[in-house]
Amino acid sequence: MPAHTETAPFAAAWQEWHAAHERHRADPHGFLAVTHLHWLGSSEARLEGAPGTWTVENDAVRVVLEPGETLERDGEELNGAAGATLTFGPIAERGGINLVSGERVIEVAKRGGEYIVRPRHPKNALLTEYTGTAAYAPDAGFALAGTFVPFSERRPTTVGAAVEGIQHVYEAPGEIRFSLAGEDLTLTAFNGHAPGTLSVLFTDATSGKTTYAANRSLAVGTPAPDGTVLLDFNRAVNLPCAYTDLATCPLPPAENRLSVAIEAGEKIPYERQDQQ
C-alpha cells in the first residue's frame, strides 16, 4: 500500500469534488428518490407510484390514462382523450425517458432487454433521511498514473447485474494498466459519459469490509496521445445499488476484481452497513 500522502491543494480539490458529487446524489429526483421498480410485460398493469395502465407492445411502452390522470414530457401535457393510448419508444438499452406526474418523475427505461418503470418522489424516505456517504480521507498516494491500451477491436463484455436474471453488455474499447503495492494490474475499461472518456467498475480487497461489496465505479479522463491516464481512486464512488435494491447496476467483469486493497474513495453507505 502507498504511504499516506496529503497536500492542502489536493485535499481541497477532493473536498470540492466530493461535495458536488453529494449534491448531485441528493437531487430531488435522483436515484435516492426511487420508490418502486416495475418490470413491464405484455399484460396490462396498474403500477404503484405511476398513473395509467401500462403494457409493452412491439418494443414500445404503451400507457392508457384514466380521466383526471396526467403525464407530462418536457413540459408538455400528454393527457390525450380519455382512453387514448400514449406510446413511448423504442428505447435503447440503458437509455430512458422521464415523465412527470405531479411531484413524481416517472423513469421509463430499458435494462437487460426489458422495459422498466421507476417512479421517483422527493419525499421518499431514502432521500429525506440521507445524511451523506463516508469516504476515506483524500490520499495523493492513490492518484496513480496508468496506461490505456486500446483493443484492436472493441470487445463486447457481458457482466452481471445487481438484479438477478439480467445481464449488461458493454463495448470495451481497451484496458488500463497500472501498478499498485508492487503489483502490475489491469482493468478492463468501458466508455465514459463524455466522448473520449473512460469508466471502470471494480472491486478490491476492501470490498465487503470497508467498501461496498458488489462494485465501485471510477471515471477516467480522456487518455493522452501516449495513452497516459490518471486513476484517482480517491474519486471511486458507489453505484445506486449500494443504497437501494431498486437499482439494476452492472457488476465488474471478473478481471476487474483486484486482490490489492484500495483504501481510497467512498465507503459502505450507512444505509447498508448492517447488511455487509
Side-chain angles (χ1 to χ4, degrees):
M1 136 188 349
H4 181 87
T5 57
E6 178 180 337
T7 64
F10 183 86
W14 181 88
Q15 292 287 355
E16 182 178 354
W17 164 83
H18 186 61
H21 187 71
E22 287 280 42
R23 287 193 297 271
H24 175 75
R25 177 181 284 140
D27 183 271
H29 290 112
F31 72 79
L32 295 178
V34 173
T35 59
H36 304 85
L37 170 60
H38 302 291
W39 295 86
L40 301 182
S42 58
S43 299
E44 294 184 350
R46 299 282 299 184
L47 307 180
E48 189 171 357
T53 300
W54 299 70
T55 188
V56 174
E57 183 181 346
N58 297 326
D59 197 28
V61 175
R62 306 194 186 281
V63 186
V64 177
L65 297 177
E66 299 293 335
E69 294 182 325
T70 63
L71 282 173
E72 294 182 8
R73 183 178 183 184
D74 298 328
E76 177 184 355
E77 287 197 6
L78 305 175
N79 301 357
T85 299
L86 305 175
T87 302
F88 307 103
I91 296 175
E93 179 67 28
R94 293 192 295 279
I97 62 172
N98 288 329
L99 307 172
V100 176
S101 177
E103 290 187 87
R104 296 182 185 274
V105 166
I106 314 296
E107 175 194 11
V108 184
K110 184 182 280 188
R111 299 292 186 270
E114 303 292 335
Y115 282 102
I116 63 172
V117 171
R118 281 190 290 209
R120 304 171 182 231
H121 196 290
K123 292 186 176 62
N124 187 40
L126 185 61
L127 175 60
T128 59
E129 297 172 8
Y130 180 66
T131 58
T133 296
Y136 284 98
D139 183 349
F142 280 104
L144 307 171
T147 302
F148 174 68
V149 180
F151 297 139
S152 58
E153 295 182 356
R154 294 179 182 271
R155 295 181 183 174
T157 302
T158 301
V159 299
V163 173
E164 292 186 12
I166 69 169
Q167 294 180 322
H168 298 280
V169 180
Y170 291 88
E171 296 289 329
E175 62 186 20
I176 298 173
R177 300 173 183 173
F178 68 106
S179 297
L180 177 62
E183 294 191 35
D184 294 330
L185 304 168
T186 301
L187 289 167
T188 294
F190 299 140
N191 292 318
H193 292 295
T197 65
L198 303 169
S199 176
V200 294
L201 297 170
F202 71 97
T203 59
D204 65 278
T206 70
S207 301
K209 299 174 183 176
T210 57
T211 63
Y212 184 57
N215 50 24
R216 285 194 289 167
S217 175
L218 179 64
V220 181
T222 302
D226 64 355
T228 299
V229 293
L230 175 64
L231 294 169
D232 187 353
F233 286 104
N234 296 280
R235 303 191 180 197
V237 298
N238 294 322
L239 277 69
C241 57
Y243 302 84
T244 175
D245 293 333
L246 306 179
T248 61
C249 305
L251 303 178
E255 63 272 21
N256 286 14
R257 300 181 184 276
L258 305 178
S259 60
V260 298
I262 298 181
E263 296 174 321
E266 291 190 330
K267 296 184 177 182
I268 298 170
Y270 300 117
E271 293 81 359
R272 292 286 195 182
Q273 287 183 356
D274 61 347
Q275 300 178 26
Q276 295 293 307

